[in-house]
Amino acid sequence: EIVLTQSPGTLSVSPGERATLSCRASQSISSTYLAWYQQGPGQAPRLLIHGSSSRATGVPDRFTGRGSGTDFTLNINGLEPEDSAVYYCQHYGDSRWTFGQGTKVEVK
Amino acid sequence: QLQLQESGPGRVWPSETLHLTCSVSGGSFSSSYYWGWVRQAPGEGLEWLGSIHYAGYTYYNPSLKGRVSISMDPSKNQFSLQLTSVTAADTAVYYCARPETDGNGYLFGYFDPWGRGTLVVVSS
């Protein structure tokens, strides 16, 4: 069973700064099956990145995903107040879907 | 644009069965290969519950220990979730979502789109 561990738990940043979110898999996974989601308060998750680095439709290029093997990263450049949310990584493999525990980003 | 909408009771008694339905609109139900359910307990993260393939194959989170089942009714553009023997720990917002595939049904595995979610409280 793949376990995804996200860090940090919470990240407080100022507007305009850059945030780096980490997602570490318990064993090597294919980058094809690694996705990132953004969940604002009281909202459903929104797909940001799939295939480790492909932005979903309508996602600003401030959001960049990268990584391979066990280490994956979501970078958010030029943070804006509306980027305040919880960010989840997610993996699919062997007919199972797994989520990381999430990183809360506070922009203030 | 494909849209998903969850429906069902907002409260379920302990030990009873939770039943939710996801209605699909804005696109062809049959053109999607997989459908799925994810939940989120208050203040917690996302938990995959299960997925169903259009041919009827089902995949469930082992942590639910056989309490979960998913079915679908293409004639109604709907798929459903049943969770038996619920306890307070099953109180959560339940989301339906579509696991994305390519045109040949090859799973990419990410969920898009999602429903808005429906809160289910297990309480007497």
Side-chain angles (χ1 to χ4, degrees), chain A residues 34-86:
Chain A
L34 194 285
W36 290 92
Y37 302 85
Q38 177 193 61
Q39 186 178 35
Q43 297 180 1
R46 168 200 179 197
L47 176 69
L48 288 178
I49 301 286
H50 60 88
S52 179
S53 60
S54 298
R55 276 184 294 273
T57 303
V59 174
D61 59 8
R62 302 185 292 105
F63 294 87
T64 303
R66 60 184 299 172
S68 63
T70 60
D71 292 311
F72 297 86
T73 300
L74 175 68
N75 288 307
I76 313 172
N77 293 314
L79 277 157
E80 302 178 0
E82 56 264 34
D83 296 331
S84 294
V86 180

Side-chain angles (χ1 to χ4, degrees), chain B residues 20-95:
Chain B
L20 296 175
T21 296
C22 182
S23 299
V24 179
S25 60
S28 172
F29 183 90
S30 299
S31 67
S32 294
Y33 287 86
Y34 290 86
W35 304 100
W37 289 94
V38 175
R39 72 179 178 181
Q40 185 171 37
E44 301 295 325
L46 301 169
E47 179 185 25
W48 169 69
L49 302 180
S51 301
I52 186 167
H53 183 266
Y54 81 99
Y57 303 113
T58 51
Y59 311 89
Y60 300 127
N61 189 327
S63 70
L64 294 167
K65 299 178 181 177
R67 295 195 299 126
V68 61
S69 66
I70 297 174
S71 60
M72 60 184 182
D73 187 343
S75 68
K76 295 183 178 179
N77 289 347
Q78 293 178 337
F79 62 103
S80 299
L81 171 75
Q82 284 197 107
L83 185 64
T84 62
S85 304
V86 297
T87 69
D90 296 308
T91 293
V93 175
Y94 287 76
Y95 296 99

